[in-house]
Amino acid sequence: MPPRYENVAVIGAGPSGISAVKALQEEKVFRRVRLFERRDRAGGIWHLDSVPDVFPTPGSGTLRLFQIPSKLPSLAPPAPEDLTARTAIYDSLDSNVGAKAMAFSHTPFPIKNSAQSTRYLGRSNPTRPFRVVAKYLDDLFKNYLHLSSFNTTVVRVEKKAGKWNLVLRQTGHFVDDQPQDYWWEEQFDAVIVASGHYSVPFVPEIAGLKDAFVKFPTNFEHSKEFRNPDHYVNKKVVVVGGNVSSADLVADLHAIVKGPLELSQRGHNEALDSAWNLPNVKLRPTVSRVEADPLGVSVHFSDGTVTDKVDKILFATGYKLSYPFITPDPVTPNNRVSGFYQHIFKIGDPSLALVGQVRAGISFRVYEYQAVAVARYFAGRNKKSLPSPREQDQWEVDRLQYKGNSPIFHEIQPDFKEYFDFLTELAGPPAPESDGYLLAPWEDKWAEQAFEILQLKDKYWKSLHQKNEKKTDGIAAKL
């Protein structure tokens, strides 16, 4: 029996793209599988770029818009670098999801810890240094290099005459010793978009921010730019944000900055309260405006208070969803993806699928399950049918009522079992003639394993608070 779609493109070679190409190949039924990756290697966000992305001032347009040549294929002068391709990795970064649950079910992570995580979280802790994660992904991808086109940006994905038409741009070509970009098109029956959602940093609209950045550009950073805590020693720092990345920055910086570390939050994750209560941290409300004067940058808060002469304002405010190559663009002004059933299948045309467009879903494991479910659907081997487009539309309406019209729409937590059950039921058992495997049913212990790191960090942060209290009590007793 032929597959539902014979020719499939995969966009992105990060963890979700690796999952997708592996699952497609294991079906052993597709006539052509191609993977396109804009960087020169697989691994996605798990590689270190020593020079970070630039600060995305509101309205500055961080997305790179390409001028497509009028005739394809063709060579053209190279376009400027797409800076959003640079990663947020810094040298001392360890994973923040427990290794047993984070790993693909078919391949465990090597048992290896960094000196820093061992010092703070104990021996044999569930973190993994980013270089261990990067090598893990590289090793898994070796069997699929022949399917891949690196240094290749997918500029446009558009349905034409029943086929998905991809406009592609590849760097690294030379004519008469001059660099050139090669542009061409390819057509596919189906497309899996696995390009992730940690590329385009989000910075909220704040009065005066743009003008202040022009005058003092080095005073403003997004957490994507963070590379080394040494850059913040004896600096007056304001951190903006209330989730995991903000907590990690606070833990790294609270003891080394000048004066208290000012922490501005609109809302915060209560599970991270021990980080917000670390010594030398001063909680602040939202930032109402930023001003620049001859003495430097002043940050005004919504309660009327002001912090002046700020050296660094560090925004740990997350990322914008970005699929500018999909025509029409499915990202809404509220920063969610519209029109994709179960965050995967395009409603009304399931030949376009997203893998990796979920939040709080236990990282690599959920990408693997999504990929297997999509591959078996594309192969025509899915056990469970997709509901009608009308029912899929109703699913989106119901989810908007449940999660709201924001990026939280894509958050799986706390409904792990329901989501993993949907994926395993859709995928069903592997075909005898394939190299596929049966997806294991959800186990509650996976969630416990995933959050082990947070529990260990919470213990460590509380110990710092207790040491500070003892020190303070000792000084008071001497006085």
Side-chain angles (χ1 to χ4, degrees), residues 123-141:
R123 297 183 183 276
S124 301
N125 69 72
T127 68
R128 294 295 180 267
F130 81 86
R131 288 185 177 87
V132 171
V133 178
K135 186 177 185 305
Y136 171 87
L137 295 171
D138 280 339
D139 289 344
L140 286 171
F141 195 68

Side-chain angles (χ1 to χ4, degrees), residues 75-78 170-182:
L75 289 163
Q170 187 177 63
T171 61
H173 297 274
F174 288 83
V175 175
D176 297 329
D177 294 327
Q178 296 299 312
Q180 297 278 286
D181 290 348
Y182 178 64

Side-chain angles (χ1 to χ4, degrees), residues 156-167 185 187-188:
R156 181 179 294 167
V157 175
E158 187 175 13
K159 197 71 170 283
K160 291 183 177 181
K163 297 281 187 179
W164 287 103
N165 188 73
L166 273 59
V167 176
E185 294 176 291
Q187 288 75 41
F188 296 88

Side-chain angles (χ1 to χ4, degrees), residues 87-147:
T87 72
I89 294 290
Y90 52 92
D91 198 62
S92 60
L93 181 72
D94 292 299
S95 62
N96 60 14
V97 176
K100 290 180 181 178
M102 177 180 172
F104 299 124
S105 68
H106 51 75
T107 309
F109 277 116
I111 300 175
K112 188 172 183 179
N113 291 126
S114 68
Q116 175 177 276
S117 70
T118 301
R119 186 181 305 117
Y120 297 151
L121 307 181
R123 297 183 183 276
S124 301
N125 69 72
T127 68
R128 294 295 180 267
F130 81 86
R131 288 185 177 87
V132 171
V133 178
K135 186 177 185 305
Y136 171 87
L137 295 171
D138 280 339
D139 289 344
L140 286 171
F141 195 68
K142 286 176 182 176
N143 292 333
Y144 313 108
L145 287 170
H146 64 292
L147 306 173

Side-chain angles (χ1 to χ4, degrees), residues 21-100:
V21 74
K22 179 179 182 295
L24 291 168
Q25 282 297 92
E26 286 174 341
E27 290 301 313
K28 300 174 67 175
V29 71
F30 300 103
R31 187 166 66 86
R32 183 171 63 124
V33 173
R34 289 270 279 151
L35 180 141
F36 302 102
E37 166 57 46
R38 64 180 174 174
R39 291 177 64 95
D40 61 356
R41 67 189 76 177
I45 65 170
W46 290 96
H47 291 285
L48 172 67
D49 290 312
S50 56
V51 178
D53 199 346
V54 296
F55 182 74
T57 53
S60 63
T62 53
L63 292 178
R64 178 68 195 150
L65 300 178
F66 298 99
Q67 183 65 44
I68 299 173
S70 58
K71 184 179 180 180
L72 299 175
S74 69
L75 289 163
E81 180 192 358
D82 179 5
L83 298 180
T84 66
R86 296 180 184 178
T87 72
I89 294 290
Y90 52 92
D91 198 62
S92 60
L93 181 72
D94 292 299
S95 62
N96 60 14
V97 176
K100 290 180 181 178

Side-chain angles (χ1 to χ4, degrees), residues 444-479:
D444 288 340
K445 70 176 182 181
W446 293 353
E448 297 170 6
Q449 291 168 343
F451 297 123
E452 282 179 328
I453 294 173
L454 179 57
Q455 293 170 356
L456 290 172
K457 285 184 176 181
D458 184 71
K459 182 180 178 180
Y460 172 67
W461 294 333
K462 284 178 177 176
S463 73
L464 294 178
H465 185 72
Q466 291 167 357
K467 287 179 183 178
N468 184 69
E469 285 187 331
K470 289 181 180 179
K471 181 180 178 181
T472 303
D473 290 344
I475 292 173
K478 289 181 180 179
L479 295 175

